[in-house]
Amino acid sequence: MCGIVGYIGKESALDIIIEGLKHLEYRGYDSAGVAFVEKKKIKKIREKGKVDLLKKSIEETKIKVHSAIGHTRWATHGSPTKENTHPHSDCKNKIAIVHNGIIENYLDLKRMLKAKKHKFSSETDTEVIVHLLEENLKHYPIFDSILNTINVLKGSFALLFIFADYPNLMIGIRKNSPLIFAEKENNFYFSSDIVGISSYVDKAYFLDDETIVFLNNSKYSFFDFKGAEKKIFPKKVEKSSFFIEKKGYKHFMLKEIFEQPEAIRETIQDRYSIERGEIDVGVDESLFENIEKIRILSCGTSYHAGLIGQFYFENFSGIETSVSLSSEFYYRDLEDTESTLFIAISQSGETADTLKAIRKIKGKNKIISITNVSESSITRESDAFILTHCGPEISVAATKTFTSQISLLFLLALSIAQKTEYIKKEKIISFLEELRKIPIQMEEILNKSESIEKIAYKYYQKESFLYIGRWINYPVALEGSLKLKEISYIFSEAYAGGQLKHGPISLIDEGTPLVAVAPDDRARNNILSNIEEAKTRGAEIISIGTKGDNELLSLSDAMFVISPVNEFLSPLLTTIYTQLFAYFIALRRGVDIDQPRNLAKSVTVE
Ligand code: F6R
């Protein structure tokens, strides 16, 4: 988590850093700070809270510099106070550091450094790095000191250093946390994510793991952790057609919900042809040969997409599929043969839990990843990757990436079916025809957002919610419940409809709101019984069903309808209602929808 930015060049460094940090705020927003060199000393400006507060403080100082580093924090070690805010500096205030990641052995290092009389001014793990460098600099030149420092650190780190005595020097280092370096016309940029600097550059170096960038007096070189120089080639920076602006929407989340039809179109187009009845997701088909089992690894919302994908792989290709939370997968002792294919799903491509899970099986099993970021760590560590083409998702709550992941899983499962001929070509064509209609059907729902708003406003004061779904819409219930809790802070829980009677039904009382995802699919009759059981006990039913389902309507206190759709694709429509319902409830409660408390968009710690 956390975002870091660095700049040296001809322009006003603090403006560029602030702009970059604003774009990286999705990585954490507990506090933010900058450091630069002034009168041969490190100067820091730091604020608890969001980047806008820091911006105000910087503007008041009227300082203009041409080199600076900045940080936006998601607190791990040490609460979000001003003292714990990055940048941190050494005892003599000669070196400043910003850090994204976690130093696992920081307590041992801190003990050792304290014994050598280093004075610490924060509770962070990061501060040990800068003191360790200070200690090394007493004995070695800069480059050797850097190598000695980073080679004793355990954990993950993307680091930037500046030095009071060398104002033209900036050092960037990457291990297990992302870092990008770019240059344009003698302006030099570092950022955790390309969105932090994409408006200034056309090409960028997406650094490999264990890389040092040594930038001094407008000259730069790349080194590995042994100190050997290495070659890295810049890549073109894709300018997204989805702009990082709210475009008149009140929140990024709302804009991103409304972008879903376009995101699906962009994600699926060019990957299939109905005329030829063919699918090509851009993955070498040899990966689809002799698959006996599929394991999907993912977290949070991406895990819910995986749960939906499971049905696609099992039904379209007959391959037994399981879905694991990446965070828990690591602890399992599994005896998978080479014939198990792994699929990692991650919007950011940086989720530490998923990265750790794929590293466990890398080299032994083939891994296909589905991410929204082409140069992310997860795409780079997979045997093949397929990108969702959603454009950047800024709101912390995932929306458009979720539905785009589902559409890609659908295509991937069909392309395996195409290879194994598990289902007939005519069937594949009819699935593709149904998929092509989805964006229009999504638009029909989005056009009715006002009616969803009205219903959400009836319920916004409730203290807790239950969600139910069955079969392929059970993951939609899980996702809807997650959306509600993360952005509105209302407690909610989701269950497979059939599980209510095994315990949770005891929670139902007069007026308990229950959201039932019950479109016309193979589970519809059963979920109607579950709804009935809940209603009998006083639940207020907010249902999502298929147009014309009068029986469901008669059981519902409020009902949202989708058009008739192939049962495998219904999650792409029912989800939209759950997203808008959560959004409007949170809106009414007046909370920070795009940046809910305690969260960050990219979870790069375990
Ligand atoms: C919820 C949400 C998170 C992420 C999870 C995994 O709205 O966004 O639950 O889905 O942190 O992130 P990725 O997909 O980047 O691996």
Side-chain angles (χ1 to χ4, degrees):
M1 337 270 276
C2 305
I4 63 177
V5 197
Y7 171 79
I8 303 188
K10 295 172 276 187
E11 310 299 331
S12 161
L14 294 178
D15 291 343
I16 289 171
I17 298 291
I18 288 295
E19 187 64 25
L21 291 181
K22 284 288 301 170
H23 287 312
L24 295 183
E25 238 181 350
Y26 74 88
R27 303 175 69 87
Y29 35 79
D30 291 336
S31 61
V34 293
F36 46 90
V37 177
E38 197 187 47
K39 297 191 184 119
K40 290 228 152 206
K41 278 246 177 273
I42 294 289
K43 167 120 187 159
K44 291 182 282 196
I45 305 176
R46 304 182 296 177
E47 289 301 338
K48 180 169 162 13
K50 298 209 175 154
V51 174
D52 276 338
L53 284 173
L54 174 69
K55 184 176 178 196
K56 231 170 121 222
S57 304
I58 291 176
E59 279 164 2
E60 280 162 14
T61 66
K62 300 205 168 32
I63 288 173
K64 287 268 172 272
V65 288
H66 295 282
S67 168
I69 54 176
H71 188 273
T72 178
R73 179 164 189 248
W74 186 83
T76 56
H77 296 65
S79 51
T81 58
K82 197 162 173 170
E83 293 70 40
N84 289 332
T85 301
H86 298 218
H88 294 289
S89 45
D90 62 329
C91 300
K92 295 209 182 90
N93 217 16
K94 289 285 188 183
I95 315 166
I97 184 177
V98 286
H99 168 212
N100 164 211
I102 286 187
I103 304 304
E104 288 162 8
N105 55 339
Y106 85 104
L107 283 175
D108 290 343
L109 294 170
K110 196 165 180 173
R111 220 170 287 125
M112 180 272 282
L113 289 159
K114 275 186 166 173
K116 291 185 191 278
K117 306 272 181 281
H118 284 263
K119 292 260 171 311
F120 284 81
S121 48
S122 78
E123 303 154 297
T124 64
D125 52 343
T126 304
E127 205 188 338
V128 298
I129 310 173
V130 71
H131 288 280
L132 193 58
L133 181 60
E134 179 182 31
E135 189 59 33
N136 274 306
L137 280 168
K138 290 178 189 163
H139 312 285
Y140 307 99
I142 285 195
F143 191 70
D144 293 348
S145 298
I146 287 280
L147 289 180
N148 291 344
T149 302
I150 58 177
N151 280 310
V152 298
L153 301 177
K154 295 210 174 92
S156 57
F157 46 91
L159 309 172
L160 293 177
F161 291 103
I162 54 168
F163 302 83
D165 293 336
Y166 309 99
N168 296 321
L169 175 64
M170 189 174 286
I171 297 176
I173 299 166
R174 173 197 169 145
K175 184 181 176 186
N176 292 340
S177 292
L179 188 63
I180 292 159
F181 170 70
E183 186 250 316
K184 190 174 178 187
E185 294 159 4
N186 267 334
N187 293 295
F188 303 91
Y189 307 83
F190 287 94
S191 176
S192 298
D193 180 335
I194 194 64
V195 296
I197 50 175
S198 58
S199 54
Y200 310 110
V201 297
D202 312 308
K203 287 184 295 176
Y205 297 90
F206 294 85
L207 305 179
D208 304 326
D209 227 23
E210 305 213 348
T211 300
I212 303 168
V213 186
F214 199 86
L215 167 64
N216 194 16
N217 286 320
S218 304
K219 295 209 163 44
Y220 57 90
S221 308
F222 304 105
F223 298 91
D224 66 19
F225 278 18
K226 292 198 177 87
E229 195 162 347
K230 61 184 197 179
K231 274 250 163 300
I232 302 183
F233 297 97
K235 292 194 178 143
K236 194 164 168 274
V237 172
E238 299 293 340
K239 306 274 175 185
S240 173
S241 57
F242 294 87
F243 292 102
I244 307 167
E245 289 159 10
K246 288 197 196 131
K247 282 196 193 156
Y249 288 95
K250 209 170 168 137
H251 294 97
F252 280 110
M253 181 175 176
L254 190 62
K255 171 182 165 259
E256 287 158 7
I257 290 173
F258 273 80
E259 278 174 349
Q260 287 179 107
E262 197 49 25
I264 300 253
R265 281 189 192 101
E266 291 277 332
T267 297
I268 62 175
Q269 75 179 5
D270 306 331
R271 285 178 163 149
Y272 69 97
S273 155
I274 290 183
E275 289 64 40
R276 292 197 304 280
E278 278 172 19
I279 304 156
D280 181 1
V281 289
V283 167
D284 185 344
E285 282 201 357
S286 65
L287 285 172
F288 303 158
E289 278 161 15
N290 308 320
I291 308 173
E292 276 175 17
K293 228 189 279 168
I294 294 178
R295 288 196 192 276
I296 301 178
L297 301 172
S298 43
C299 293
T301 293
S302 296
Y303 171 71
H304 299 151
L307 291 173
I308 292 169
Q310 178 180 30
F311 296 109
Y312 297 157
F313 294 110
E314 292 193 338
N315 285 274
F316 304 165
S317 55
I319 301 173
E320 184 194 325
T321 303
S322 63
V323 194
S324 301
L325 289 165
S326 323
S327 55
E328 305 310 304
F329 175 78
Y330 187 77
Y331 308 110
R332 294 176 69 185
D333 296 321
L334 295 167
E335 294 295 330
D336 278 313
T337 64
E338 276 176 18
S339 58
T340 300
L341 173 71
F342 281 77
I343 300 175
I345 310 172
S346 172
Q347 171 281 129
S348 61
E350 298 296 344
T351 297
D353 290 321
T354 304
L355 200 53
K356 186 169 173 180
I358 65 171
R359 282 180 178 158
K360 188 178 171 189
I361 40 102
K362 199 177 155 180
K364 208 170 118 223
N365 292 90
K366 294 289 180 221
I367 306 161
I368 300 178
S369 59
I370 293 181
T371 83
N372 195 38
V373 183
S374 63
E375 287 299 333
S376 61
S377 306
I378 291 174
T379 56
R380 284 144 63 113
E381 300 217 13
S382 307
D383 297 281
F385 63 87
I386 319 173
L387 294 178
T388 49
H389 294 158
C390 301
E393 189 174 66
I394 303 300
S395 164
V396 165
T399 52
K400 61 178 178 174
T401 52
F402 175 65
T403 44
S404 298
Q405 286 166 349
I406 296 170
S407 68
L408 260 192
L409 287 162
F410 187 81
L411 278 185
L412 178 59
L414 287 178
S415 56
I416 296 177
Q418 170 180 275
K419 172 84 183 160
T420 58
E421 297 181 1
Y422 186 77
I423 52 176
K424 292 211 173 75
K425 192 162 183 165
E426 300 80 71
K427 188 76 198 156
I428 293 182
I429 293 175
S430 90
F431 274 133
L432 293 174
E433 278 166 346
E434 294 281 343
L435 178 65
R436 187 163 62 176
K437 285 193 266 173
I438 287 293
I440 294 170
Q441 292 177 311
M442 283 179 151
E443 275 154 7
E444 281 167 18
I445 297 172
L446 291 166
N447 288 339
K448 290 187 288 204
S449 69
E450 273 172 26
S451 61
I452 306 163
E453 184 170 1
K454 270 196 204 127
I455 292 172
Y457 286 1
K458 254 180 80 186
Y459 291 96
Y460 82 99
Q461 282 171 315
K462 293 279 185 187
E463 278 175 12
S464 63
F465 279 76
L466 288 174
Y467 281 67
I468 57 167
R470 289 190 83 138
W471 184 56
I472 205 161
N473 275 288
Y474 168 47
V476 173
L478 289 168
E479 174 59 11
S481 163
L482 174 64
K483 270 325 64 123
L484 183 74
K485 61 188 136 203
E486 73 177 318
I487 64 167
S488 71
Y489 316 147
I490 296 176
F491 184 80
S492 79
E493 208 57 276
Y495 294 97
Q499 290 297 308
L500 273 187
K501 57 184 175 298
H502 296 290
I505 203 161
S506 68
L507 292 169
I508 294 176
D509 203 350
E510 210 49 52
T512 304
L514 182 131
V515 178
V517 191
D520 190 8
D521 61 17
R522 65 185 72 181
R524 180 245 172 218
N525 290 351
N526 288 126
I527 198 164
L528 252 65
S529 308
N530 305 142
I531 295 170
E532 190 117 36
E533 288 150 15
K535 191 164 180 70
T536 314
R537 289 160 178 87
E540 275 191 52
I541 309 295
I542 304 137
S543 68
I544 304 169
T546 305
K547 205 181 274 170
D549 190 339
N550 291 329
E551 203 184 334
L552 178 61
L553 181 65
S554 68
L555 288 173
S556 305
D557 296 276
M559 179 171 166
F560 301 123
V561 293
I562 63 167
S563 303
V565 64
N566 178 287
E567 60 175 355
F568 286 99
L569 291 167
S570 63
L572 291 170
L573 303 184
T574 50
T575 292
I576 309 257
Y577 281 116
T578 61
Q579 293 169 342
L580 285 169
F581 186 65
Y583 172 80
F584 287 121
I585 286 189
L587 185 68
R588 195 64 177 211
R589 287 171 80 102
V591 286
D592 189 343
I593 292 181
D594 284 333
Q595 295 181 330
R597 68 186 177 203
N598 306 336
L599 290 173
K601 183 80 183 156
S602 185
V603 186
T604 56
V605 293
E606 282 168 36

